[in-house]
Amino acid sequence: MQKDNRISLREGAFFSFISTAFKGISQVILIENAVTGLIILVAIMVSSVSIGMIALLSACIATFIGRFGGTDKTIVNQGLLGYNSVLAGIALALNLEGGWRWAIALAGAAVAALFTAAMMHWIRNSQMPVLTFPYIIMTWFLLLASYRLSTFQLSSNLVPQDLSHWKLQPGGTIDWIHGLVNGIGQVYFQDSLWSGILILLGVFWASWRLGLYAVLGSVIAWLAAYGLGAEITLMNLGLYGFNAVLTILAVAAVFDAKSRIAPLTGLIAAAITVPVTASIDTWLLPYGLPTLTMPFVLVTWLLLAARKVIPKL
């Protein structure tokens, strides 16, 4: 009987650990749902098994750090310590080359969990969410290290460009289906149609309302980017959409969304991410760095901070 109880306890602990890891994956898109996390993990693996494994291991590393380190159980079990690690692991694995990139990606995931915990402490009095700021800064720093440390080998896709010779490439054939779906998939660096559809299904599994907002965010970003004369290639890849998707979810539904006009504010915030994305992308061109989710962080913080003074937003 005692042996059966020990087995049951181990199974329960394992299930709890994996469930928390899956929530760390789902929290990237501001959702606390283990099934959604599992669906999203499958979506990533449809595109790349290795990147899917990095996402899962990154979430497990963050969960282990949180539990072993004695972090508040509520924070850990909600997956709030894991989502930055998931993004950091994926981003580093995709943007670095060489035999060390997998080890660097997992080490980066561990550091991202520590950075997230530190940020939670630093800004707790402001009652503002950490969002994905830790992952962004840490990823940029590690990618920039490639210019001084030979172990860090920057991907050939990230090429520094001279702004004085930069030319806009507005031509191309519009593929709005891929553009809209990729706008959701790119939250997890996915530009595969089926991966994007699965990620969207995962969001709808958690909440039809959040799924609707995700679609609206991608549509608003696509329309804003088209109206402002963005490059068609980038629109088709969904690179103007994913920040808008995260922003509309945050502003319209997840954080302090008590006002009647919160949905409208979310739509406006989603549209604002387009010029902010273009601006940050231009700023980073000389360094060869990806924009990541910085537009989402800046616009969301702007709106949430404004709500502290203008509560009806």
Side-chain angles (χ1 to χ4, degrees), residues 3-17:
K3 183 178 180 181
D4 290 343
N5 287 337
R6 286 196 297 268
I7 292 173
S8 178
L9 286 171
R10 284 198 297 268
E11 289 177 347
F14 176 77
F15 178 80
S16 174
F17 184 91

Side-chain angles (χ1 to χ4, degrees), residues 121-270:
H121 174 72
W122 290 336
I123 68 173
R124 61 183 175 180
N125 292 332
S126 69
Q127 297 182 336
M128 295 289 286
V130 172
L131 302 179
T132 55
F133 186 78
Y135 131 76
I136 297 166
I137 299 302
M138 197 211 61
T139 300
W140 281 350
F141 277 10
L142 290 182
L143 293 180
L144 285 172
S146 63
Y147 292 99
R148 295 288 183 177
L149 303 174
S150 60
T151 301
F152 295 82
Q153 299 178 30
L154 200 63
S155 170
S156 57
N157 295 325
L158 297 178
V159 181
Q161 300 187 50
D162 184 356
L163 284 177
S164 64
H165 296 91
W166 170 257
K167 291 184 180 180
L168 192 67
Q169 305 292 333
T173 302
I174 293 176
D175 187 346
W176 63 271
I177 293 178
H178 279 82
L180 294 178
V181 174
N182 287 341
I184 297 168
Q186 286 285 3
V187 171
Y188 292 87
F189 299 90
Q190 302 302 305
D191 59 5
S192 161
L193 181 65
W194 290 111
S195 293
I197 290 173
L198 280 173
I199 290 170
L200 181 59
L201 287 175
V203 177
F204 270 105
W205 174 275
S207 166
W208 67 266
R209 183 165 168 261
L210 294 181
L212 180 60
Y213 274 131
V215 172
L216 285 174
S218 187
V219 170
I220 288 297
W222 197 95
L223 292 174
Y226 181 77
L228 293 172
E231 294 183 49
I232 301 300
T233 302
L234 299 183
M235 291 171 56
N236 290 342
L237 288 172
L239 295 180
Y240 280 105
F242 68 96
N243 276 291
V245 169
L246 290 171
T247 302
I248 193 173
L249 289 173
V251 174
V254 177
F255 299 110
D256 297 326
K258 300 175 183 177
S259 169
R260 292 181 180 179
I261 66 168
L264 176 60
T265 306
L267 291 172
I268 294 171

Side-chain angles (χ1 to χ4, degrees), residues 252-297:
V254 177
F255 299 110
D256 297 326
K258 300 175 183 177
S259 169
R260 292 181 180 179
I261 66 168
L264 176 60
T265 306
L267 291 172
I268 294 171
I272 293 173
T273 63
V274 172
V276 173
T277 297
S279 178
I280 294 176
D281 192 41
T282 303
W283 174 51
L284 294 175
L285 276 177
Y287 304 98
L289 294 177
T291 303
L292 303 179
T293 53
M294 185 56 90
F296 153 62
V297 171

